Amino acid sequence: MAIVTMSGKSVAVNPLKQSQPLGAALAFLGLRGTMPLFHGSQGCTAFAKVFLVRHFREAIPLATTAMSEVSTILGGEENIEQAIAAIIAKNQPELIGLLTTGLTETRGDDMAGILQRIRNRHPELAELPIVSVSTPDFKGALQDGFAAAVTAVVKQLPESGEVRPQQVTVLVGSASGPGDIQEIKEIIADFGLRAIVTPDLSTSLDGHLAQSYQTVSSGGTSVEQLRAIGCSSHTLALGESMRPAAMALQNRFGTPVTVFPGLSSLGAIDQFFMTLAELSGQPVPHKYRYQRTQLQDAMLDTHFFFGRKQVALALEPDLLWAIVQFFQSMGSQVQTAVTTTKSPLLEQLPVDRVTIGDLEDFEQQARGADLLVGNSHLGAIASRWQTPLYRLGFPVFDRLGNGQRCIVGYRGMMQLLFEVGNLFLEQELLLANH
Amino acid sequence: MKLTQGQINTLLSESACKHNHHKHGKSKNKTCTQTAQPGTAQGGCAFDGASIALVPITDAAHLVHGAIGCAGNSWGSRGSLSSGPMVYKTGFTTDLGENDIIFGGEKKLYRAILEIKDRHSPAAIFVYATCITALIGDDLDAVCQKAAAKTGIPIIPVNSPGFIGSKNLGNRVGGESLLAHVIGTREPDFTTPYDINLIGEYNIAGELWAVLPLLQKLGIRVLAKITGDGRYHDIACAHRAKLNVMICSKALINMARTMEERYGIPYIEESFYGAADLNRCLRHIAAKLGDAELQLRVENLIASETAKLTQDLLPYRARLKGKRVVLYTGGVKSWSIISAAQDLGITVCATSTKKSTEEDKARIRELLGQEGIMLEKGNAQELLRVIDQTQADMLIAGGRNQYTALKAKIPFLDINQERHHPYAGYTGLLELAKELDEALHSPVWQQVRQPAPWEVD
């Protein structure tokens, strides 16, 4: 059980967290044909765009309501209306994800009222879903904004209908990248289940060549699939942050929920497979039984390098949970845990202390660690200390392949073991030679 | 110094900026006054622009007074390098929460400044206003004044809420802060007749370091670098320079003009890209400083550098000759890069003139010849159409268009501020040639364009 502390400073130094609107935009990018629309000044969108392009190395469609000083004083209704009209004319979206920012939340734009009036004035919008979500920059972090967007989507789009026994909804939090989602989809399909993965970054930000140039998200969950979520027989929530969205579906449709806080340790993965076996009535396919033996073999080979190691983690709560499990299950000790935002998971973490803070806090606590785990901003600390760094979270701008990396499931955990194990191994050889 | 709407308008209609001189049909050229349109992605905001202009001051701390979105999503992403102090790379923000918004952020800002001074001892602290802190009415000037008295170091307010306008305006807002609070506040230890300031050069990918050795060889002293690899104290002394050299940018023209009015320092607008332009730049500096001996040294330097460069470029010129490129970038670079490309024997089939002045356009017309296309507007689809129409071999543009080209399987070179290779100076032209050669002749092009064998009959 961990003691959760917040740093009491007046200044954040080298912030670890990003803002809610960025997270919400990322979630919307996992829905097909979507244009995320930031209701704020043009810079809110520009920063988010540069950030996501650097991480994924993909074109990122985003739009802004371009609030000016004057429109901030008068209210944003006209800008939102113009933006929606322009997006429809230029991009023919299947869905618009409208998210607020610190600017418009401070001003206090009444989004529900504004959207209602715009819809009244424009009957031609009747068929176009516009999902609005409140994501002030001055609260929470990327993970919260992502979760808020998913919750808003499942509160609005799914329709009730006859339950389809073979259909499950999979809500995936911001801790999972496109590569992780691809693996999860494959596993579920191998049980003969039809999964509606929401949001599905594995077909939008995975990196693939499309036939023509896309001005909205090039893949992801379709509106039709989102509507069908009401008919799913079960909701699998990956990441604790997806629980509120899953509960919203349970309240609306009575869909039972199972939450998996992480899928990067043997016990957690086993549980995931058992749940799928139960839901599908199928035995675990041979392919995965075999992969499990490969993983166990890898655990034996690598445990020499993980044992007694002190690791320092700077990750968002969901990812922090999964990675703490990963390291502890291999015999490493979590020396430092710094995170971005509140989560019910934090107090349950099997570590002494978790700090909601920045990289200055991290640097003060993590000295002497054998390995740092966190985003690319940790690179400066790692090179000053000559300590190996495993890059994870957002943003990772100095490593390639963020659209494909997989750390979940038997195969994903095995890859993670090798990648991290190699860092330990390299460091040991380096020290042995000095 | 809170900017009033009047002051913002003055910055937007900057009299020395050629953008504001020529009428187009009925209306004025609205490059700077144009506001962002709702419904598409737009460039950065005024806060972004002010950061671009000031963050390269390496021994200062840069504190963003706002919610996490402004600093959290952007810190550490700029490519401006330092030869010494690293405090500018640290991301500082007051990270305002809901309570701060309700009760005001001034006290937190004051404490934040003191904490930075205690723990990081910067030469100065620049404090950036953002949309939220402007909206809730925090008095940045008053807090900075009080904190300066308490800490004994300069605390500079930068009035840059994003909603006042574009990145361009933000650059000028940054320049205004330097003019109002920094320049002329200190005296240099000594001066020479060959002191110049560089304005608008941000040392992206270390470009400055390809040019400074040349100036040094000529006996020209760069008093203040504004702001790439800049030092606070040097910029405070900038009013003692004999000449301001504006590099590839109209962004800080307000500084050059004001310094001419206030301190009588003349200015010239130059480019470091391409041998022809760099030669011209060095000649202009020597002519302005008015020393026959210096002019002779410049001619000797140009002769020896270009002789060496010509030799080094030989193999690349052969491989690049006749290649066709489409150039998509802003303002001065729309011609300065054409000149660099032509130095290498490359044909520029089309270039953007979106942010160019009439003067720039005349120059582009002259450089491109009659067949060249001048793109007034540009979005991804339009760019792809022009590349197709002109049968260009590659696109040279800013990073945001990288995936436009790559997804269409077209070679691409990044020319804007996120890039990792320095293209300025004589060595920069060689680097540019190598990069172009690599981009154009990579073996991947043939492979990614090859259809899958089962798709061929």
Side-chain angles (χ1 to χ4, degrees), chain A residues 10-15 17-19 42 54 57-58 62 64 68-69 82 87 90 137-139 208 213 360 377, chain B residues 38-41 43 68-69 73 75 77 90-91 93 95-96 98 111 115 119 163 165-166 380-381 403 407:
Chain A
S10 293
V11 59
V13 183
N14 295 336
K17 68 177 170 182
Q18 293 84 32
S19 72
Q42 57 178 327
R54 284 180 92 202
R57 296 174 196 262
E58 287 294 317
L62 296 180
T64 175
S68 66
E69 197 163 13
Q82 283 175 16
I87 290 168
K90 264 186 243 162
D137 292 272
F138 50 77
K139 264 167 122 176
H208 61 269
Y213 186 76
E360 188 181 52
H377 288 308
Chain B
T40 52
I68 196 64
N73 298 353
W75 74 276
S77 65
T90 307
T93 176
D95 183 13
L96 296 183
E98 206 162 17
R111 288 195 305 264
E115 285 176 25
R119 295 210 296 271
F163 60 34
S166 68
Q381 289 105 315
Y403 299 97
K407 293 288 178 191

Side-chain angles (χ1 to χ4, degrees), chain B residues 327-330 334 350-354 356 364 373-376:
Chain B
L327 182 62
Y328 190 75
T329 177
S334 54
T351 188
S352 58
T353 51
K354 198 176 162 190
S356 308
I364 291 167
I373 298 170
M374 294 167 69
L375 294 162
E376 266 298 334

